[in-house]
Amino acid sequence: MTQFITSEALHKKTSQEITALLYEACVTNLESAIKTIDEKDYIQANENLKKATDILHRLGAGINYEAGIVADQLDTLYNYMADKLVEANYNKDVTSINEVLNILTEIMNAWNLAMKKNADAQPKIIRQKANAYEQTAIYE
């Protein structure tokens, strides 16, 4: 069952959450492409692979290059995966799609873990700021 997000809900998402949604959508399209190739529905497989490739290009366009070498490496990975999917689409090659799916799943899992750790750390930071304020506040 496909779950759609309303435009209003999408606008309330952080850029990190939108990136996570893009990863999920890309994985879903890759899994659907594998299934439709196995079913010999090449037209639908083509659509799924084109969507996955488009998502990878969008992810690449959203990279913050000020983040350093990791950003450059991520860009290289996105380009590699997009090129691999173009070849896989032309040849209807499930092996190449699985390779991209494995790479993307690793990136997605790391991204989700980093988001979770950041969310867990935020209340601690807020408490530290509150404590710092309380320590410098003047009481009458």
Side-chain angles (χ1 to χ4, degrees):
M1 180 177 170
T2 305
Q3 184 179 4
F4 292 99
I5 245 178
T6 65
S7 179
E8 182 181 337
L10 189 60
H11 282 83
K12 292 180 180 177
K13 300 281 183 195
T14 66
S15 59
Q16 293 83 5
E17 291 170 328
I18 291 172
T19 299
L21 289 172
L22 286 171
Y23 285 139
E24 289 176 32
C26 194
V27 165
T28 300
N29 278 292
L30 293 174
E31 290 170 342
S32 294
I34 292 168
K35 182 181 177 208
T36 53
I37 288 172
D38 289 342
E39 295 170 351
K40 302 205 183 318
D41 183 357
Y42 299 124
I43 293 172
Q44 185 58 49
N46 175 55
E47 288 302 314
N48 291 126
L49 290 170
K50 287 192 316 186
K51 286 178 185 177
T53 303
D54 182 52
I55 291 169
L56 288 171
H57 287 296
R58 289 175 189 271
L59 285 165
I63 292 176
N64 176 3
Y65 290 96
E66 293 175 8
I69 189 80
V70 173
D72 293 330
Q73 291 171 339
L74 197 54
D75 184 47
T76 301
L77 261 177
Y78 288 154
N79 288 330
Y80 171 79
M81 290 186 290
D83 291 346
K84 201 76 170 160
L85 289 182
V86 169
E87 290 175 27
N89 196 3
Y90 182 77
N91 298 315
K92 301 302 183 248
D93 179 18
V94 173
T95 304
S96 293
I97 299 169
N98 275 319
E99 178 186 348
V100 171
L101 186 58
N102 289 335
I103 294 168
L104 189 63
T105 300
E106 288 291 323
I107 295 170
M108 181 178 72
N109 290 339
W111 184 264
N112 289 335
L113 181 62
M115 279 187 13
K116 183 180 182 320
K117 284 187 175 183
N118 187 38
D120 290 345
Q122 282 184 356
K124 182 180 178 183
I125 291 170
I126 291 169
R127 281 193 310 271
Q128 288 173 341
K129 286 181 180 178
N131 287 339
Y133 172 77
E134 288 173 1
Q135 289 172 358
T136 59
I138 300 174
Y139 293 100
E140 293 184 40

